[in-house]
Coordinates of all heavy atoms in Angstrom, one line a residue:
M241 N -20.3 10.4 -6.3 CA -19.8 11.1 -5.1 C -19.1 12.4 -5.5 O -18.3 12.4 -6.4 CB -18.8 10.2 -4.3 CG -18.5 10.9 -3.0 SD -18.0 9.6 -1.8 CE -16.2 9.7 -1.9
T242 N -19.5 13.5 -4.9 CA -18.9 14.7 -5.3 C -18.4 15.4 -4.0 O -18.9 15.2 -2.9 CB -19.9 15.7 -5.9 OG1 -21.0 15.8 -5.1 CG2 -20.3 15.2 -7.3
C243 N -17.4 16.2 -4.1 CA -16.8 17.0 -3.0 C -16.4 18.3 -3.5 O -16.6 18.6 -4.7 CB -15.6 16.2 -2.4 SG -14.2 16.1 -3.5
S244 N -15.8 19.1 -2.7 CA -15.4 20.5 -3.1 C -14.4 20.4 -4.2 O -14.3 21.3 -5.1 CB -14.9 21.3 -1.9 OG -13.8 20.6 -1.3
S245 N -13.5 19.4 -4.2 CA -12.5 19.3 -5.3 C -13.1 18.9 -6.6 O -12.7 19.4 -7.7 CB -11.5 18.2 -4.9 OG -10.7 18.6 -3.7
C246 N -14.2 18.1 -6.6 CA -14.9 17.7 -7.8 C -15.5 19.0 -8.4 O -15.5 19.2 -9.6 CB -16.1 16.8 -7.4 SG -15.6 15.1 -7.0
A247 N -16.1 19.8 -7.5 CA -16.8 21.0 -8.0 C -15.8 22.0 -8.7 O -16.2 22.6 -9.7 CB -17.4 21.7 -6.7
V248 N -14.6 22.0 -8.3 CA -13.6 22.9 -8.9 C -12.7 22.2 -9.9 O -11.9 22.8 -10.5 CB -12.8 23.7 -7.9 CG1 -13.6 24.7 -7.1 CG2 -12.1 22.8 -7.0
G249 N -13.0 20.9 -10.1 CA -12.2 20.2 -11.1 C -10.8 19.9 -10.8 O -10.0 19.6 -11.7
I250 N -10.4 19.8 -9.5 CA -9.1 19.5 -9.2 C -8.9 18.0 -9.3 O -9.8 17.2 -9.0 CB -8.8 19.9 -7.7 CG1 -8.8 21.4 -7.6 CG2 -7.5 19.3 -7.2 CD1 -8.7 22.0 -6.2
D251 N -7.7 17.6 -9.8 CA -7.4 16.1 -9.9 C -7.2 15.5 -8.5 O -6.4 15.9 -7.8 CB -6.1 16.0 -10.7 CG -5.7 14.5 -10.8 OD1 -6.6 13.7 -11.1 OD2 -4.5 14.3 -10.7
H252 N -8.1 14.6 -8.2 CA -8.1 14.0 -6.9 C -8.7 12.7 -6.9 O -9.3 12.2 -7.9 CB -8.8 14.9 -5.9 CG -10.2 15.1 -6.2 ND1 -10.7 15.7 -7.3 CD2 -11.3 14.7 -5.5 CE1 -12.0 15.7 -7.2 NE2 -12.4 15.1 -6.2
C253 N -8.7 12.0 -5.8 CA -9.2 10.6 -5.7 C -10.1 10.5 -4.4 O -9.7 11.1 -3.4 CB -8.1 9.6 -5.7 SG -8.6 7.9 -5.5
H254 N -11.2 9.7 -4.5 CA -12.0 9.5 -3.4 C -11.7 8.3 -2.6 O -12.3 8.0 -1.6 CB -13.5 9.5 -3.8 CG -14.0 10.8 -4.3 ND1 -15.1 10.8 -5.2 CD2 -13.7 12.0 -4.0 CE1 -15.3 12.1 -5.4 NE2 -14.5 12.9 -4.8
G255 N -10.7 7.5 -3.1 CA -10.3 6.3 -2.4 C -9.4 6.7 -1.2 O -9.0 7.8 -0.9
T256 N -9.1 5.7 -0.4 CA -8.2 5.8 0.7 C -6.8 5.3 0.3 O -6.6 4.2 -0.1 CB -8.7 5.0 1.9 OG1 -10.0 5.5 2.2 CG2 -7.8 5.3 3.1
L257 N -5.8 6.2 0.5 CA -4.5 5.8 0.2 C -3.9 5.1 1.4 O -4.0 5.5 2.5 CB -3.6 7.1 -0.1 CG -2.3 6.9 -0.9 CD1 -2.7 6.5 -2.3 CD2 -1.5 8.1 -0.9
V258 N -3.3 3.9 1.1 CA -2.8 3.1 2.1 C -1.3 3.0 2.0 O -0.8 2.6 0.9 CB -3.4 1.6 2.1 CG1 -2.8 0.8 3.2 CG2 -4.9 1.7 2.2
E259 N -0.6 3.5 3.0 CA 0.9 3.4 3.0 C 1.4 2.2 3.7 O 1.1 2.0 4.9 CB 1.5 4.7 3.6 CG 1.3 5.9 2.8 CD 2.1 7.1 3.4 OE1 1.7 7.5 4.5 OE2 3.0 7.6 2.7
H260 N 2.1 1.3 3.0 CA 2.6 0.1 3.6 C 4.0 0.4 4.3 O 4.7 1.3 3.9 CB 2.7 -1.0 2.6 CG 1.3 -1.5 2.2 ND1 0.6 -2.4 2.8 CD2 0.6 -1.1 1.1 CE1 -0.5 -2.6 2.2 NE2 -0.6 -1.8 1.2
E261 N 4.2 -0.5 5.2 CA 5.5 -0.5 5.9 C 6.7 -0.4 5.0 O 7.7 0.3 5.2 CB 5.6 -1.8 6.8 CG 6.7 -1.8 7.8 CD 6.2 -1.4 9.2 OE1 5.2 -0.6 9.3 OE2 6.7 -2.0 10.1
S262 N 6.6 -1.2 3.9 CA 7.7 -1.3 3.0 C 7.9 0.0 2.1 O 8.8 0.1 1.4 CB 7.5 -2.5 2.0 OG 6.3 -2.3 1.4
G263 N 6.9 0.9 2.3 CA 7.0 2.1 1.4 C 6.1 2.0 0.2 O 5.8 3.0 -0.5
F264 N 5.5 0.8 0.0 CA 4.6 0.6 -1.1 C 3.3 1.3 -0.7 O 2.8 1.3 0.4 CB 4.3 -0.9 -1.2 CG 3.3 -1.3 -2.2 CD1 3.6 -1.1 -3.6 CD2 2.0 -1.8 -1.9 CE1 2.6 -1.4 -4.5 CE2 1.1 -2.1 -2.8 CZ 1.4 -2.0 -4.1
V265 N 2.7 1.9 -1.8 CA 1.5 2.7 -1.6 C 0.4 2.2 -2.5 O 0.7 1.9 -3.7 CB 1.7 4.2 -1.9 CG1 0.5 5.0 -1.8 CG2 2.8 4.8 -0.9
E266 N -0.8 2.0 -2.0 CA -1.9 1.6 -2.8 C -3.1 2.4 -2.5 O -3.2 3.0 -1.4 CB -2.1 0.1 -2.7 CG -2.6 -0.3 -1.3 CD -2.9 -1.8 -1.2 OE1 -3.0 -2.5 -2.3 OE2 -2.9 -2.4 -0.1
C267 N -4.1 2.3 -3.3 CA -5.4 3.0 -3.1 C -6.5 2.1 -3.1 O -6.5 1.1 -3.9 CB -5.5 4.1 -4.2 SG -7.0 5.1 -4.0
T268 N -7.5 2.4 -2.3 CA -8.7 1.5 -2.2 C -9.6 1.6 -3.5 O -10.4 0.8 -3.7 CB -9.5 1.8 -1.0 OG1 -9.9 3.2 -1.0 CG2 -8.7 1.5 0.3
D269 N -9.3 2.7 -4.2 CA -10.1 2.9 -5.4 C -9.4 2.3 -6.6 O -8.3 2.7 -7.0 CB -10.2 4.4 -5.7 CG -11.1 4.7 -6.9 OD1 -11.4 3.8 -7.7 OD2 -11.6 5.9 -7.0
M270 N -10.0 1.2 -7.1 CA -9.4 0.4 -8.2 C -9.1 1.3 -9.4 O -8.2 1.0 -10.2 CB -10.3 -0.8 -8.6 CG -10.4 -1.8 -7.5 SD -8.8 -2.5 -7.1 CE -9.3 -3.8 -5.9
A271 N -9.8 2.3 -9.6 CA -9.7 3.2 -10.8 C -8.6 4.2 -10.6 O -8.4 5.0 -11.5 CB -11.0 3.8 -11.1
C272 N -8.0 4.3 -9.4 CA -7.0 5.3 -9.1 C -5.8 5.2 -10.0 O -5.3 4.1 -10.2 CB -6.6 5.2 -7.6 SG -5.6 6.5 -7.1
L273 N -5.4 6.3 -10.6 CA -4.3 6.3 -11.5 C -3.0 6.8 -11.0 O -2.0 6.5 -11.5 CB -4.7 7.1 -12.8 CG -5.9 6.6 -13.6 CD1 -6.3 7.7 -14.6 CD2 -5.7 5.3 -14.2
S274 N -3.1 7.6 -9.9 CA -1.9 8.2 -9.4 C -2.0 8.2 -7.9 O -2.9 8.6 -7.3 CB -1.7 9.6 -9.9 OG -0.6 10.2 -9.3
F275 N -0.9 7.6 -7.3 CA -0.9 7.5 -5.8 C -0.3 8.6 -5.1 O 0.4 8.5 -4.0 CB -0.3 6.2 -5.4 CG -0.9 4.9 -6.0 CD1 -0.2 3.8 -6.3 CD2 -2.3 4.9 -6.2 CE1 -0.8 2.7 -6.8 CE2 -2.9 3.8 -6.8 CZ -2.2 2.7 -7.1
G276 N -0.5 9.8 -5.6 CA 0.1 11.0 -4.9 C -0.7 11.3 -3.6 O -2.0 11.3 -3.7
I277 N 0.0 11.5 -2.6 CA -0.7 11.7 -1.3 C -1.6 13.0 -1.4 O -2.7 13.1 -0.8 CB 0.4 11.9 -0.2 CG1 1.0 10.5 0.2 CG2 -0.2 12.6 1.1 CD1 2.2 10.6 1.1
E278 N -1.1 14.0 -2.1 CA -1.8 15.2 -2.3 C -3.2 15.1 -3.0 O -4.0 15.9 -2.9 CB -1.0 16.3 -2.9 CG -0.7 16.1 -4.4 CD 0.4 15.0 -4.7 OE1 1.0 14.5 -3.7 OE2 0.6 14.6 -5.8
R279 N -3.3 14.0 -3.7 CA -4.6 13.7 -4.4 C -5.6 13.1 -3.5 O -6.8 12.9 -3.9 CB -4.4 12.8 -5.6 CG -3.4 13.4 -6.7 CD -3.3 12.5 -7.9 NE -4.5 12.3 -8.6 CZ -5.2 11.2 -8.7 NH1 -4.8 10.1 -8.0 NH2 -6.4 11.1 -9.3
H280 N -5.2 12.7 -2.3 CA -6.1 11.9 -1.5 C -6.4 12.6 -0.2 O -5.5 13.1 0.5 CB -5.5 10.6 -1.2 CG -5.3 9.7 -2.4 ND1 -4.3 9.8 -3.3 CD2 -6.1 8.7 -2.9 CE1 -4.4 9.0 -4.2 NE2 -5.5 8.2 -4.0
S281 N -7.7 12.6 0.2 CA -8.1 13.3 1.4 C -7.9 12.3 2.6 O -7.7 12.7 3.7 CB -9.5 13.8 1.4 OG -10.4 12.8 0.9
L282 N -7.9 11.0 2.2 CA -7.7 10.0 3.3 C -6.4 9.2 3.0 O -6.3 8.5 2.0 CB -8.9 9.0 3.3 CG -10.1 9.5 4.1 CD1 -11.3 8.5 3.7 CD2 -9.9 9.4 5.6
V283 N -5.5 9.3 3.9 CA -4.2 8.6 3.8 C -4.0 7.9 5.2 O -4.0 8.5 6.2 CB -3.0 9.5 3.6 CG1 -1.7 8.7 3.4 CG2 -3.3 10.3 2.3
I284 N -3.9 6.5 5.1 CA -3.7 5.8 6.3 C -2.5 4.9 6.3 O -2.0 4.5 5.2 CB -5.0 4.9 6.7 CG1 -5.2 3.9 5.6 CG2 -6.2 5.8 6.9 CD1 -6.3 2.8 6.0
D285 N -2.0 4.5 7.4 CA -0.9 3.6 7.5 C -1.5 2.2 7.3 O -2.6 1.9 7.8 CB -0.3 3.7 8.9 CG 1.1 3.0 9.0 OD1 1.1 1.8 9.1 OD2 2.0 3.8 8.9
C286 N -0.9 1.3 6.7 CA -1.5 -0.1 6.4 C -1.8 -0.8 7.7 O -2.6 -1.7 7.7 CB -0.6 -0.9 5.5 SG 0.8 -1.7 6.2
E287 N -1.1 -0.5 8.8 CA -1.4 -1.1 10.1 C -2.8 -0.8 10.6 O -3.3 -1.5 11.4 CB -0.3 -0.8 11.1 CG 1.0 -1.5 10.9 CD 2.0 -1.1 12.0 OE1 1.6 -0.7 13.0 OE2 3.2 -1.4 11.7
T288 N -3.3 0.3 10.1 CA -4.6 0.8 10.5 C -5.7 0.2 9.7 O -6.9 0.4 10.0 CB -4.7 2.3 10.4 OG1 -3.4 2.9 10.2 CG2 -5.3 2.9 11.6
V289 N -5.4 -0.5 8.6 CA -6.4 -1.2 7.8 C -7.2 -2.1 8.6 O -6.7 -2.9 9.4 CB -5.7 -1.9 6.6 CG1 -6.7 -2.7 5.8 CG2 -5.0 -1.0 5.7
E290 N -8.5 -2.1 8.4 CA -9.5 -2.9 9.1 C -9.1 -4.4 8.8 O -9.0 -4.8 7.6 CB -10.9 -2.6 8.6 CG -11.9 -3.0 9.6 CD -13.3 -2.6 9.2 OE1 -13.4 -1.6 8.4 OE2 -14.3 -3.3 9.6
G291 N -8.9 -5.1 9.8 CA -8.6 -6.5 9.7 C -7.1 -6.7 9.6 O -6.6 -7.8 9.5
G292 N -6.3 -5.6 9.5 CA -4.9 -5.7 9.5 C -4.4 -5.9 8.1 O -5.1 -6.4 7.2
C293 N -3.1 -5.6 7.9 CA -2.5 -5.8 6.6 C -1.4 -6.9 6.8 O -0.7 -6.9 7.7 CB -1.8 -4.5 6.1 SG -0.9 -4.7 4.6
G294 N -1.4 -7.8 5.8 CA -0.5 -8.9 5.9 C 1.0 -8.5 5.8 O 1.8 -9.2 6.2
C295 N 1.2 -7.3 5.2 CA 2.6 -7.0 4.9 C 3.5 -6.9 6.1 O 4.7 -7.3 6.1 CB 2.7 -5.8 4.0 SG 2.7 -4.2 4.8
T296 N 3.0 -6.4 7.2 CA 3.9 -6.3 8.4 C 4.1 -7.6 9.0 O 5.2 -7.9 9.5 CB 3.2 -5.3 9.4 OG1 1.9 -5.6 9.6 CG2 3.3 -3.9 8.9
D297 N 3.0 -8.5 9.0 CA 3.2 -9.8 9.5 C 4.3 -10.5 8.7 O 5.1 -11.2 9.2 CB 1.9 -10.6 9.4 CG 0.8 -10.1 10.3 OD1 1.2 -9.4 11.3 OD2 -0.3 -10.3 10.1
H298 N 4.2 -10.3 7.4 CA 5.1 -10.9 6.4 C 6.6 -10.5 6.8 O 7.4 -11.3 6.8 CB 4.8 -10.4 5.0 CG 5.5 -11.1 4.0 ND1 5.5 -12.4 3.7 CD2 6.4 -10.6 3.0 CE1 6.2 -12.8 2.7 NE2 6.8 -11.7 2.3
V299 N 6.7 -9.2 7.1 CA 8.1 -8.7 7.4 C 8.5 -9.4 8.7 O 9.7 -9.8 8.8 CB 8.0 -7.2 7.6 CG1 9.3 -6.7 8.2 CG2 7.8 -6.5 6.3
R300 N 7.6 -9.5 9.7 CA 8.0 -10.1 10.9 C 8.4 -11.6 10.7 O 9.3 -12.1 11.3 CB 6.8 -10.0 11.9 CG 7.0 -8.8 12.9 CD 5.8 -8.7 13.9 NE 5.2 -7.5 13.8 CZ 3.9 -7.3 13.5 NH1 3.1 -8.3 13.2 NH2 3.4 -6.1 13.4
V301 N 7.6 -12.3 9.9 CA 7.9 -13.7 9.7 C 9.3 -13.8 9.0 O 10.1 -14.6 9.4 CB 6.8 -14.3 8.8 CG1 7.3 -15.7 8.3 CG2 5.5 -14.4 9.5
L302 N 9.5 -13.0 8.0 CA 10.8 -13.0 7.3 C 12.0 -12.7 8.2 O 13.0 -13.3 8.1 CB 10.8 -12.0 6.1 CG 10.1 -12.4 4.9 CD1 10.1 -11.3 3.8 CD2 10.7 -13.7 4.3
S303 N 11.8 -11.8 9.2 CA 12.9 -11.4 10.0 C 13.3 -12.6 10.9 O 14.4 -12.6 11.5 CB 12.5 -10.2 10.8 OG 11.5 -10.5 11.7
K304 N 12.4 -13.5 11.1 CA 12.7 -14.7 12.0 C 13.6 -15.7 11.2 O 14.3 -16.5 11.8 CB 11.4 -15.4 12.4 CG 10.8 -14.7 13.6 CD 9.5 -15.5 14.0 CE 8.5 -14.6 14.7 NZ 7.2 -15.2 14.6
V305 N 13.5 -15.6 9.9 CA 14.2 -16.5 9.0 C 15.7 -16.1 9.0 O 16.0 -15.0 9.1 CB 13.6 -16.5 7.6 CG1 14.4 -17.4 6.6 CG2 12.2 -16.9 7.6
D306 N 16.5 -17.1 8.9 CA 18.0 -16.9 8.8 C 18.2 -15.9 7.7 O 18.0 -16.2 6.6 CB 18.7 -18.2 8.6 CG 20.2 -18.0 8.5 OD1 20.7 -16.9 8.6 OD2 20.9 -19.1 8.3
P307 N 18.8 -14.7 8.0 CA 19.0 -13.7 7.0 C 19.8 -14.2 5.8 O 19.6 -13.7 4.7 CB 19.7 -12.6 7.8 CG 19.4 -12.8 9.2 CD 19.3 -14.3 9.3
S308 N 20.8 -15.0 6.1 CA 21.6 -15.5 5.0 C 20.8 -16.4 4.0 O 21.3 -16.6 2.9 CB 22.8 -16.3 5.6 OG 22.3 -17.5 6.2
A309 N 19.7 -16.9 4.4 CA 18.9 -17.7 3.5 C 17.9 -16.8 2.6 O 17.3 -17.3 1.7 CB 18.0 -18.7 4.3
M310 N 17.9 -15.5 3.0 CA 17.0 -14.7 2.2 C 17.7 -14.1 1.0 O 18.9 -14.1 0.8 CB 16.5 -13.5 3.1 CG 15.5 -13.9 4.1 SD 15.2 -12.5 5.2 CE 14.5 -11.3 4.0
G311 N 16.8 -13.7 0.1 CA 17.3 -13.0 -1.1 C 17.5 -14.0 -2.3 O 16.6 -14.1 -3.1
A312 N 18.6 -14.6 -2.4 CA 18.9 -15.4 -3.5 C 17.9 -16.5 -3.8 O 17.6 -16.9 -4.9 CB 20.3 -16.0 -3.4
D313 N 17.4 -17.1 -2.7 CA 16.5 -18.2 -2.8 C 15.0 -17.8 -3.1 O 14.2 -18.7 -3.5 CB 16.5 -19.1 -1.6 CG 17.9 -19.8 -1.4 OD1 18.5 -20.0 -2.4 OD2 18.2 -20.0 -0.2
V314 N 14.7 -16.5 -2.9 CA 13.4 -16.1 -3.2 C 13.2 -15.7 -4.6 O 13.8 -14.9 -5.1 CB 13.0 -14.9 -2.3 CG1 11.6 -14.4 -2.5 CG2 13.3 -15.2 -0.8
P315 N 12.2 -16.4 -5.3 CA 12.0 -16.1 -6.7 C 11.5 -14.6 -6.8 O 10.8 -14.1 -6.0 CB 10.8 -17.0 -7.1 CG 10.8 -18.1 -6.0 CD 11.3 -17.4 -4.8
Q316 N 11.9 -14.0 -7.9 CA 11.6 -12.6 -8.1 C 10.1 -12.4 -8.1 O 9.6 -11.4 -7.6 CB 12.2 -12.1 -9.4 CG 12.3 -10.6 -9.6 CD 13.2 -9.9 -8.5 OE1 14.1 -10.6 -8.0 NE2 12.9 -8.7 -8.2
E317 N 9.4 -13.3 -8.7 CA 7.9 -13.2 -8.8 C 7.3 -13.1 -7.4 O 6.4 -12.3 -7.2 CB 7.3 -14.4 -9.5 CG 7.1 -14.2 -11.0 CD 6.5 -15.4 -11.6 OE1 5.4 -15.8 -11.1 OE2 7.0 -15.9 -12.6
Q318 N 7.8 -13.9 -6.5 CA 7.3 -13.9 -5.2 C 7.5 -12.6 -4.5 O 6.7 -12.0 -3.8 CB 7.9 -15.0 -4.4 CG 7.1 -15.5 -3.2 CD 7.8 -16.7 -2.6 OE1 8.1 -17.7 -3.3 NE2 7.9 -16.8 -1.3
L319 N 8.7 -12.0 -4.7 CA 9.0 -10.7 -4.1 C 8.0 -9.6 -4.6 O 7.6 -8.8 -3.9 CB 10.4 -10.3 -4.5 CG 11.5 -11.0 -3.7 CD1 12.9 -10.7 -4.3 CD2 11.5 -10.6 -2.2
L320 N 7.7 -9.7 -5.9 CA 6.8 -8.7 -6.5 C 5.4 -8.8 -5.9 O 4.8 -7.8 -5.7 CB 6.8 -8.8 -8.0 CG 8.1 -8.4 -8.7 CD1 8.1 -8.7 -10.2 CD2 8.3 -6.9 -8.5
R321 N 5.0 -10.0 -5.7 CA 3.6 -10.1 -5.2 C 3.5 -9.8 -3.7 O 2.5 -9.4 -3.2 CB 3.2 -11.6 -5.4 CG 2.2 -11.8 -6.5 CD 1.7 -13.2 -6.6 NE 2.4 -14.0 -7.5 CZ 3.1 -15.1 -7.1 NH1 3.1 -15.5 -5.8 NH2 3.7 -15.8 -8.0
A322 N 4.6 -9.9 -3.0 CA 4.6 -9.7 -1.5 C 4.3 -8.2 -1.2 O 4.5 -7.4 -2.0 CB 5.9 -10.1 -0.9
Ligands
LIG151 ZN1 -14.3 14.7 -5.3
LIG152 ZN1 0.8 -3.2 4.5
LIG153 ZN1 -6.7 7.0 -5.2

């Protein structure tokens, strides 16, 4: 795939940048090395992802949980994966 940026050699990505509710950013291009918004022509909110993104559901579910039960009891590994 080529585009005008390819033609002039500008550092860019053809993937779609997905911005999650939490501020986490990911790219649909597995080979993407840098998630700078300026490198991507397509930037979407994760709520717009086809089929939906689990992260907002996750946040909603967590918010129903007693806040005092959150944090200490959640393993760090689980937080990183979420
Ligand atoms: Zn290109
Ligand atoms: Zn998300
Ligand atoms: Zn990318």
Side-chain angles (χ1 to χ4, degrees):
M241 188 153 99
T242 55
C243 68
S244 57
S245 295
C246 290
V248 293
I250 292 173
D251 177 42
H252 64 293
C253 176
H254 291 154
T256 302
L257 201 68
V258 182
E259 287 189 296
H260 291 273
E261 193 98 325
S262 60
F264 177 69
V265 176
E266 67 179 340
C267 181
T268 56
D269 186 341
M270 292 298 183
C272 187
L273 297 173
S274 175
F275 299 151
I277 287 170
E278 69 284 352
R279 297 181 66 246
H280 296 81
S281 49
L282 275 168
V283 182
I284 62 169
D285 196 282
C286 79
E287 283 182 20
T288 346
V289 172
E290 205 175 330
C293 174
C295 85
T296 49
D297 291 342
H298 188 60
V299 169
R300 265 181 235 120
V301 169
L302 278 179
S303 65
K304 281 182 207 157
V305 177
D306 180 1
S308 65
M310 285 175 62
D313 294 329
V314 182
Q316 195 65 23
E317 264 183 53
Q318 201 171 315
L319 283 173
L320 288 171
R321 254 187 267 117

